[in-house]
Amino acid sequence: MAAITGELASDARTDSGAMSRPAVFLDRDGTIIEEVGYCSDPADVRLYHGADNAIRQLREAGFLVVIATNQSGIGLGLFSEQQYYAVHAEMVRQLVPVEIDGMYFNSDTPERPGFRRKPNPGMVLEAARDLDIDLTKSYFVGDRGGDVECGRNAGTRTVLVETGYGHRFPNAKPDHRAPTLVEAVQWILEDAR
């Protein structure tokens, strides 16, 4: 992985002078798809009601949509990267025709976290570099306190959804709480005006 500096997150212009775009970073399990605990089988993939339409609304509003997900099950030996990609492919199939602009995952375990494992901002900063994202106009949506911290650490606004494990984090301090991704997106579209 290339070195990432703090300058990256604060620079909103590309070398060509064009403005960077805002993005919405989404956790996967418990946010877009139902939480099943270490999802490794495409047959277990179920989108939350309205997730496809919510993501479509974000893209129509000009946001890039990027998934940033911890997948410690790989690092723990519970499933393989191939299984992870199969689950991702099934989620994408269910989202069609809605597109995802980027997908980043980290397989570090909680006991041996690296800079890319949430709540650290590595995946978000990597995506910002790769996709020319303006983090100051971006959002992070997830169902865990680590998602909120990751977004904050990267300089985005944050939303905690109550799906998945969201109810287990009453002390998280997101910019907004929402019952589901649908309501989170409604708030983002209002907040971004």
Side-chain angles (χ1 to χ4, degrees):
M1 182 174 85
I4 299 172
T5 67
E7 295 173 83
L8 178 65
S10 63
D11 185 6
R13 292 192 173 272
T14 64
D15 291 336
S16 65
M19 289 300 289
S20 299
R21 291 179 61 188
V24 175
F25 293 89
L26 300 173
D27 175 54
R28 189 189 77 178
D29 305 329
T31 302
I32 301 171
I33 64 173
E34 293 180 12
E35 176 63 56
V36 296
Y38 297 111
C39 187
S40 62
D41 185 343
D44 291 334
V45 175
R46 288 175 188 78
L47 295 178
Y48 280 116
H49 178 73
D52 52 349
N53 189 50
I55 294 171
R56 180 188 55 76
Q57 289 177 312
L58 290 172
R59 290 187 47 81
E60 287 176 354
F63 286 98
L64 296 172
V65 176
V66 179
I67 294 171
T69 178
N70 285 343
Q71 293 294 321
S72 61
I74 298 169
L76 293 169
L78 301 176
F79 56 90
S80 67
E81 280 193 28
Q82 291 79 9
Q83 288 172 293
Y84 165 78
Y85 285 114
V87 166
H88 179 75
E90 177 57 21
M91 181 192 69
V92 169
R93 186 193 70 75
Q94 291 183 29
L95 285 171
V96 167
V98 179
E99 293 181 17
I100 300 293
D101 296 290
M103 182 274 295
Y104 296 79
F105 76 96
N106 181 265
S107 60
D108 293 343
T109 63
E111 297 76 27
R112 298 183 62 109
F115 185 64
R116 294 181 78 248
R117 180 177 169 81
K118 297 179 292 184
N120 294 321
M123 287 188 285
V124 173
L125 298 178
E126 187 177 336
R129 181 197 65 217
D130 294 348
L131 301 173
D132 191 29
I133 293 169
D134 181 350
L135 293 174
T136 66
K137 295 179 180 171
S138 296
Y139 297 80
F140 199 112
V141 181
D143 70 319
R144 294 177 182 252
D147 296 317
V148 172
E149 289 180 55
C150 178
R152 191 178 305 119
N153 290 337
T156 72
R157 308 251 305 143
T158 59
V159 182
L160 182 75
V161 291
E162 299 288 328
T163 50
Y165 295 113
H167 62 281
R168 294 186 184 180
F169 296 93
N171 297 324
K173 301 211 181 316
D175 293 296
H176 185 71
R177 287 180 183 267
T180 71
L181 180 59
V182 171
E183 289 86 359
V185 167
Q186 290 170 352
W187 180 81
I188 289 169
L189 295 177
E190 286 292 319
D191 187 64
R193 288 184 180 179

